[in-house]
Amino acid sequence: IMKIKIEHLLQNIKDFKAGTKIELTGTIYTARDQAHKRLVELLNSGKELPIQLKNACIYYCGPCPNAPDKIIGSCGPTTSSRMDVYTPKMLDNGVKILIGKGKRSKDVFDSIQKNKAIYLLATGGVGALIAEKVKSFKLIAFEDLGPEAIYEIKVEDFPLIVGIDCNGNSLFNL
């Protein structure tokens, strides 16, 4: 298992092959389908976005409320295919790292290749354990969406597996 910072992953994205296990450290944004819908609407209307998409790392997650002694509640991945309708537009606008669970559509697979991005898999069902990897948590945008709002989280040694690499390799049958 490779321990890696997001900046290093971005600089060397072509070197990370499907199946590689990593522990990622850095800043990521949570966003599920409703947040994606709003971001794409803002992009389509030419309005300012609440986050910088260039080189962004998006985690498909809706964090649970935290207990008083915790930074964040359970924060496991949601099913990535729910974002597939929005993902090519997000990738075309600079997103480089996607984190979620499950298979992606052929359009998303093709867009990952075109944009030299990467899709990382988080393990479902272990949201409480993943929460222990979160070092900070703050609301960024769309507060009215509750857990589906966009949050900035800083993670340390977040366990992931490369599901689709930028060279056209995948752990899924597409």
Side-chain angles (χ1 to χ4, degrees):
I1 297 176
M2 298 176 57
K3 290 184 182 285
I4 188 156
K5 294 189 183 309
I6 286 177
E7 297 77 20
H8 180 77
L9 175 60
L10 289 167
Q11 291 169 358
N12 301 283
I13 203 163
K14 68 185 179 320
D15 297 333
F16 289 85
K17 308 292 183 216
T20 303
K21 295 177 183 175
I22 64 171
E23 288 183 346
L24 193 63
T25 296
T27 301
I28 63 180
Y29 295 99
T30 67
R32 288 180 44 169
D33 40 326
Q34 289 305 307
H36 275 74
K37 180 180 180 191
R38 287 190 187 176
L39 287 169
V40 167
E41 287 170 351
L42 289 171
L43 283 168
N44 288 340
S45 65
K47 295 184 179 167
E48 187 175 341
L49 300 179
I51 61 172
Q52 174 62 251
L53 295 184
K54 186 177 188 319
N55 292 328
C57 177
I58 305 290
Y59 178 31
Y60 306 139
C61 170
C64 294
N66 60 309
D69 61 334
K70 302 286 185 187
I71 293 171
I72 194 171
S74 180
C75 58
T78 195
T79 303
S80 299
S81 61
R82 294 172 53 189
M83 273 53 70
D84 282 2
V85 67
Y86 308 110
T87 301
K89 182 85 169 183
M90 299 287 283
L91 291 168
D92 288 345
N93 281 276
V95 172
K96 287 291 184 190
I97 304 169
L98 309 167
I99 302 173
K101 69 177 181 183
K103 187 176 176 178
R104 305 308 301 264
S105 70
K106 178 81 166 90
D107 285 344
V108 170
F109 177 82
D110 292 344
S111 188
I112 287 169
Q113 308 322 298
K114 177 181 119 185
N115 291 287
K116 296 298 179 206
I118 197 166
Y119 173 51
L120 305 173
L121 300 171
T123 303
V126 294
L129 292 173
I130 290 172
E132 293 177 13
K133 304 300 183 180
V134 176
K135 303 306 171 192
S136 72
F137 170 65
K138 95 176 165 182
L139 176 70
I140 298 297
F142 313 139
E143 183 175 12
D144 61 302
L145 295 178
E148 289 204 32
I150 296 176
Y151 295 91
E152 176 189 273
I153 61 176
K154 294 185 189 295
V155 297
E156 188 175 305
D157 298 333
F158 184 21
L160 301 161
I161 300 170
V162 178
I164 301 173
D165 65 36
C166 71
N167 302 305
N169 302 302
S170 172
L171 295 182
F172 304 97
N173 294 324
L174 297 172

